[in-house]
Amino acid sequence: MSLVCEYKKCRRSGLFPVFLAGGLLAAAVPAMNMFFRSELYLHRPQTPLTILLEANWQMMGMLNLFLVLAGASVLYHMEFADRAFLRMETLPQSMFGMFIRKYLVLVSVILMAFALEAASLAGVSICWFGMTEGMWNELGRQMGCLLVKMLPALALMLAVSSASENLWITLGVGVTGIFAALILSGAGRQNHILQLFPFLLPLETAWTDGRLLLAAGAETAAILAAGQGYLCIRRRFR
């Protein structure tokens, strides 16, 4: 099946409206924060985008993680419904190919949410701080880095969803991971090992540490490879 078919299957799942609403909610965070507490941020020495991300990204990142959790759960739950996944395993097609297509669908919808959030950050920055030199380049760089840090959690949640027919197990794993990341967020800034926790990486705000980006890429590749191995073993012993 093609990527277009995956998008068609998602049309009735509510995936796109949920990510649109979630992206708008996350985009409203910096605007509301500046509207009610602008005096706390206007005189800081950092660049406007750095100020906004440090003040708002943990909440925005957490909302993005909940979107990823919901999206990953829905994408495979609709395959397990009425035992459709078992019938698909009998067909001459790659289960890992389907996994990658679902991964690309999830990346595309989180990109939609990120685009709304980037537009909000740009608008808030211009409204309260004025247009600054290099703002667009900084915005693109920061949002790109934050997206890369989101990819391990996205791959992990989709792998968990593909391994569990029970929707509540996927939701439980995801919620546990998100709250564990919130608990560890303070210690993670001093501990380089904790920083690599897939649910903690997306909450790292404006820091564009190249080592973290490389680690995020390596984690994503490792999780996708583990997903491929699991799906191959699962199909062999069915």
Side-chain angles (χ1 to χ4, degrees):
M1 290 185 291
S2 68
L3 187 60
V4 174
C5 183
E6 291 293 338
Y7 279 106
K8 288 181 178 179
K9 287 195 291 184
C10 292
R11 282 190 306 182
R12 296 183 181 179
S13 66
L15 184 72
F16 302 121
V18 165
F19 272 78
L20 178 61
L24 290 172
L25 179 61
V29 171
M32 297 300 292
N33 197 10
M34 285 299 295
F35 182 80
F36 289 107
R37 304 197 302 168
S38 59
E39 68 280 358
L40 296 179
Y41 309 113
L42 290 176
H43 303 294
R44 293 188 180 183
Q46 300 100 324
T47 64
L49 284 174
T50 301
I51 294 170
L52 291 173
L53 286 169
E54 287 182 350
N56 302 289
W57 186 256
Q58 189 168 63
M59 176 61 72
M60 296 169 72
M62 186 177 68
L63 290 171
N64 288 331
L65 282 173
F66 276 113
L67 285 177
V68 166
L69 166 59
S73 301
V74 166
L75 283 174
Y76 264 100
H77 180 67
M78 64 184 184
E79 303 293 355
F80 287 122
D82 299 322
R83 305 182 70 81
F85 191 79
L86 294 179
R87 292 193 288 271
M88 292 175 69
E89 284 185 318
T90 65
L91 300 175
Q93 64 166 330
S94 169
M95 291 292 101
F96 182 64
M98 184 176 72
F99 180 86
I100 291 297
R101 289 191 293 272
K102 291 185 181 296
Y103 180 77
L104 293 176
V105 169
L106 203 50
V107 169
S108 67
V109 289
I110 199 64
L111 268 173
M112 176 179 66
F114 265 60
L116 294 171
E117 292 160 21
S120 174
L121 289 168
V124 170
S125 178
I126 293 171
C127 181
W128 269 276
F129 297 93
M131 178 67 73
T132 57
E133 185 178 355
M135 186 193 76
W136 298 111
N137 289 335
E138 183 184 1
L139 179 64
R141 184 176 69 253
Q142 296 283 17
M143 296 305 290
C145 292
L146 291 167
L147 177 63
V148 171
K149 293 175 186 177
M150 181 68 69
L151 296 181
L154 194 151
L156 178 59
M157 283 313 308
L158 196 62
V160 171
S161 183
S162 70
S164 175
E165 297 184 22
N166 191 325
L167 176 67
W168 294 107
I169 292 177
T170 306
L171 292 172
V173 170
V175 170
T176 302
I178 293 171
F179 282 104
L182 291 176
I183 293 170
L184 297 173
S185 59
R189 296 182 182 180
Q190 287 79 37
N191 190 312
H192 296 301
I193 302 300
L194 287 179
Q195 282 182 330
L196 303 181
F197 183 47
F199 291 98
L200 184 56
L201 274 172
L203 302 182
E204 293 292 336
T205 55
W207 300 287
T208 55
D209 189 336
R211 291 171 297 180
L212 280 182
L213 298 180
L214 289 175
E219 281 187 18
T220 304
I223 294 169
L224 292 177
Q228 180 184 23
Y230 167 77
L231 290 170
C232 290
I233 294 172
R234 177 185 178 132
R235 188 167 190 173
R236 185 180 296 271
F237 289 96
R238 281 288 186 180

